[in-house]
Amino acid sequence: MTQTDKALQFRALHRPGRPLALYNIWDAGGAATLARAGAPAVATGSWSMAAAHGYPDGERMPLELVLTLVGRIVETVDLPVTVDFEGAYALAPAEAAENVRKLIATGAVGLNIEDRIVHGEGLHPIADQAERIAAAAGAAEAEGVPLFINARTDLFLGTDPATHAGRVDAALERAAAYAAAGAAGFFVPGLTDLALIARIARASPLPVNVMMMGDLTLAQAAKAGAARASYGPGPYRSAMQDMADRVAALA
């Protein structure tokens, strides 16, 4: 498949109520395992990729290494590949756009871009983040690739669940702005309350991506109207715990 074919196929996999399950991986070997198991697409996880190569999360891993690893993943599997691109490794929209062009050059067809200020405090103001998303969308258009920009908001991740109901309106305001800027999906990691997920899924102009955390099940995410379910760092942690258990059993 061409990169454009993969991009269109990936976009079509986002169906509210029938979520695309993405078991996030961190290297080409993991991607190959997913392909053999019948996965329709491959997604990286930034935390997992960083940890697997000796770096903390938060754009501490060199961008060039990220691009090299993504290139190996794309070359290894004939599936759509989407990348957890954190904050696009840049603050300024023009620099973010240039990094998105580099990512597209690897053959990737999707990315997550978060509104948390990496190496800073809080979230980007809505207008600023919308400008960054628009720059990424413009870069994709210039390259002729219908890139799936999954706009992530960090309104919920790491915050008190008791405050989540009060954050929904702010999340929907961001969803609307990000959609207008050219995003294709809206990611709400940290939100596990099914009623709130359903509320956002009904009102969001974009298909909603949830992170599988706590007791949240794929069936529940589907019923709530999610179009995508990501497993984040969970697969890496499970794999490393399995390795530790096996080594301990040798003692």
Side-chain angles (χ1 to χ4, degrees):
M1 284 190 292
T2 68
Q3 188 175 13
T4 295
D5 288 339
K6 291 177 183 178
L8 294 174
Q9 178 180 326
F10 185 66
R11 190 173 294 261
L13 291 170
H14 291 75
R15 295 166 291 184
R18 297 179 62 187
L20 167 64
L22 293 173
Y23 198 74
N24 301 74
I25 51 85
W26 51 94
D27 60 13
T33 297
L34 291 188
R36 287 193 296 269
V42 169
T44 69
S46 68
W47 189 96
S48 306
M49 185 179 280
H53 294 88
Y55 294 94
D57 196 21
E59 296 183 358
R60 302 294 184 182
M61 187 175 179
L63 175 59
E64 291 307 314
L65 180 53
V66 172
L67 296 172
T68 297
L69 293 170
V70 172
R72 289 301 310 137
I73 290 168
V74 171
E75 290 179 21
T76 300
V77 297
D78 191 28
L79 292 173
V81 174
T82 187
V83 177
D84 186 351
F85 210 43
E86 302 195 74
Y89 278 75
L91 290 175
E95 294 175 4
E98 180 58 31
N99 291 340
V100 169
R101 289 189 188 94
K102 293 177 181 178
L103 184 67
I104 291 171
T106 68
V109 301
L111 62 83
N112 293 351
I113 183 169
E114 60 196 50
D115 57 15
R116 176 178 69 90
I117 300 174
V118 181
H119 308 309
E121 297 292 331
L123 307 185
H124 289 282
I126 293 176
D128 291 354
Q129 184 65 2
E131 187 177 0
R132 286 157 42 77
I133 291 170
E141 184 177 1
E143 297 299 319
V145 175
L147 187 73
F148 193 103
I149 299 173
N150 197 32
R152 165 177 152 169
T153 185
D154 278 274
L155 280 167
F156 303 104
L157 190 63
T159 61
D160 183 355
T163 69
H164 286 182
R167 296 171 182 267
V168 168
D169 286 344
L172 289 172
E173 184 180 2
R174 286 181 177 266
Y178 298 167
F186 187 52
F187 189 17
V188 288
L191 184 63
T192 57
D193 184 297
L194 293 172
L196 298 182
I197 293 171
R199 181 178 163 192
I200 290 178
R202 285 194 300 269
S204 172
L206 299 171
V208 172
N209 179 187
V210 297
M211 184 179 285
M212 304 305 291
M213 302 171 62
D215 297 326
L216 183 63
T217 68
L218 195 57
Q220 289 172 331
K223 188 174 181 180
R228 176 164 162 180
S230 301
Y231 284 78
Y236 179 83
R237 289 175 172 147
S238 294
M240 295 304 104
Q241 186 60 56
D242 179 71
M243 183 183 295
D245 291 345
R246 290 175 184 275
V247 171
L250 299 176

